[in-house]
Amino acid sequence: MKHISILVPRGNVALSCIEGSFTFFNKVNDFLSGMKKPALFDVQLVGLSTEAEVYHKLFKVTPDVVFNEVRKTDLIIIPAVNGDMNKVIEMNKEFLPWMVRQYHTGAELASLCVGAFLLASTGLLNGKKCATHWVAANEFRKMFPEVILVSDKIITDERGIYSSGGANSFLNLILYLIEKHAGRDISILCAKMFEVEIERDSQSSFIIFEGQKEHGDEAVKKAQEYIEENFHSKISVDQLADMFSVSRRNLERRFKKATSNTTAEYMQRVKIEAAKLRLESSRDNVNEVMYKVGYTDTKAFRNTFKRITGLSPLEYRNKYNRRVSVS
């Protein structure tokens, strides 16, 4: 039987991650019981104490056991934690060495959404890929530069360390873990029972691009603002360098350091974000949108749009434009 430890952290926690994980793994046991098979998962809520944690001033979650009483576990689930991440990590720092010890003795670790901040604080993610909610991507990169953040992914699997994208996409990781330990048929059964879209691998279409501006480079910040205000125009890196009296090479280096994007990538992301908004809210066709955001090459626009969002412009319009979807 696989022992699963679902953490009950202190602070502001996404209750759905705790409840959802607990429900799914126990539902697998119910399915197996109906098949006259033994239970597969022993699921425990693991806290820093046995006192109930109160979330959102309304909901109490009472741990089954204190973490240091769990000598051996097979899988640790780290739910999403919210608020000031430095304070949240400090509040829950006693979990960290315990998680490291468990991993080195064979346990797997899985962070859900922004639970990645707690997982990364163990140091076990250094040099490995990790996903988290796209909203938290800039903060995560700043706090954990040694981790390879893949902000477009729903699931990462790095030698027994797993992570998921934002919000409800944690259910896709839970299904992935159920498939690994209970088999494909049981995973599909869970997906059907709870009506979760299986096999999603990207959160790209959900991402709203907001450039990283929490840095101290004023020239880069002004360049960002100029790009955002003039996205419909053709802007070159040389033009920006001349405007702010820096060399092209210096601007490129500083831009990448400050924003985690090259200047050209930033221009593309801003244009595509503007295109997404028009596709969501206007009656413009794809070509009209393309011209309005400054593209003249149809193939380049479609390829860039799909690379960034995971969908073609037409697929995106059909999915998110209410006027189109109800017509």
Side-chain angles (χ1 to χ4, degrees):
M1 183 175 286
K2 298 285 184 182
H3 185 272
I4 297 178
S5 299
I6 301 174
L7 299 192
V8 182
R10 289 177 179 153
N12 187 4
V13 174
L15 188 65
S16 61
C17 290
I18 296 175
E19 188 275 336
S21 303
F22 183 88
T23 299
F24 269 57
F25 286 117
N26 278 296
K27 181 57 70 175
V28 169
N29 288 340
D30 291 343
F31 289 151
L32 293 171
S33 176
M35 300 171 186
K36 308 300 181 185
K37 295 181 179 179
L40 181 60
F41 300 122
D42 176 17
V43 186
Q44 281 191 314
L45 302 180
V46 178
L48 293 169
S49 75
T50 54
E51 294 182 9
E53 295 292 338
V54 180
Y55 300 127
H56 310 295
K57 299 181 181 179
L58 291 172
F59 306 104
K60 287 185 178 180
V61 178
T62 304
D64 298 309
V65 65
V66 178
F67 74 97
N68 54 17
E69 296 173 349
V70 179
R71 301 301 177 191
K72 183 71 175 72
T73 190
D74 297 299
L75 174 62
I76 299 170
I77 302 292
I78 307 164
V81 287
N82 300 302
D84 183 322
M85 286 301 174
N86 287 304
K87 291 181 179 177
V88 170
I89 292 165
E90 176 65 23
M91 209 180 300
N92 292 283
K93 65 182 181 181
E94 291 175 78
F95 278 131
L96 305 183
W98 174 77
M99 287 194 284
V100 172
R101 287 197 303 272
Q102 291 293 336
Y103 178 70
H104 287 312
T105 55
E108 297 180 320
L109 304 175
S111 67
L112 311 183
C113 189
V114 288
F117 283 79
L118 279 182
L119 178 55
S121 297
T122 64
L124 293 171
L125 274 174
N126 290 352
K128 297 183 179 71
K129 293 178 182 177
C130 177
T132 190
H133 199 299
W134 57 264
V135 166
N138 287 335
E139 183 180 5
F140 188 91
R141 286 192 185 97
K142 187 176 180 180
M143 289 182 66
F144 304 105
E146 304 88 356
V147 180
I148 305 167
L149 182 64
V150 284
S151 55
D152 61 320
K153 293 297 184 184
I154 293 286
I155 295 169
T156 64
D157 179 346
E158 290 274 320
R159 302 189 297 279
I161 298 180
Y162 310 92
S163 65
S164 73
N168 292 328
S169 66
F170 83 87
L171 293 173
N172 292 94
L173 176 55
I174 297 301
L175 288 174
Y176 181 85
L177 294 169
I178 288 172
E179 178 174 346
K180 178 175 181 179
H181 295 294
R184 177 74 172 176
D185 291 345
I186 295 293
S187 176
I188 290 173
L189 188 55
C190 281
K192 289 181 176 180
M193 178 64 70
F194 292 101
E195 299 191 23
V196 178
E197 193 68 42
I198 202 167
E199 301 292 5
R200 289 198 305 140
D201 64 357
S202 174
Q203 58 179 341
S204 294
S205 66
F206 300 107
I207 295 173
I208 299 173
F209 180 70
E210 294 179 339
Q212 161 70 295
K213 293 191 178 75
E214 294 180 7
H215 56 78
D217 195 321
E218 288 303 314
V220 170
K221 196 173 293 185
K222 287 178 181 177
Q224 289 175 269
E225 291 168 356
Y226 184 84
I227 292 168
E228 290 165 8
E229 291 168 4
N230 298 275
F231 63 85
H232 51 278
S233 303
K234 186 174 182 179
I235 306 169
S236 70
V237 180
D238 288 330
Q239 177 187 349
L240 288 172
D242 288 342
M243 286 176 63
F244 301 109
S245 303
V246 295
S247 69
R248 175 185 177 125
R249 183 177 179 182
N250 189 25
L251 178 63
E252 291 275 32
R253 179 185 59 78
R254 289 164 62 180
F255 206 101
K256 177 71 173 179
K257 180 180 179 182
T259 70
S260 298
N261 297 113
T262 66
T263 315
E265 285 170 348
Y266 199 89
M267 292 177 191
Q268 289 179 340
R269 294 300 299 266
V270 170
K271 285 178 182 291
I272 297 304
E273 194 60 35
K276 285 164 59 182
L277 291 174
R278 294 205 69 84
L279 290 168
E280 291 167 18
S281 59
S282 76
R283 291 188 178 276
D284 293 347
N285 63 38
V286 171
N287 282 342
E288 289 171 327
V289 169
M290 176 186 74
Y291 290 122
K292 285 178 180 178
V293 301
Y295 275 91
T296 56
D297 184 324
T298 303
K299 184 178 180 181
F301 174 66
R302 294 175 190 273
N303 288 346
T304 303
F305 193 98
K306 185 154 191 177
R307 176 173 54 79
I308 290 174
T309 70
L311 300 172
S312 72
L314 186 59
E315 288 170 335
Y316 190 91
R317 182 169 178 261
N318 290 341
K319 184 173 184 177
Y320 289 110
N321 191 313
R322 181 175 175 81
R323 293 171 180 173
V324 173
S325 63
V326 299
S327 61

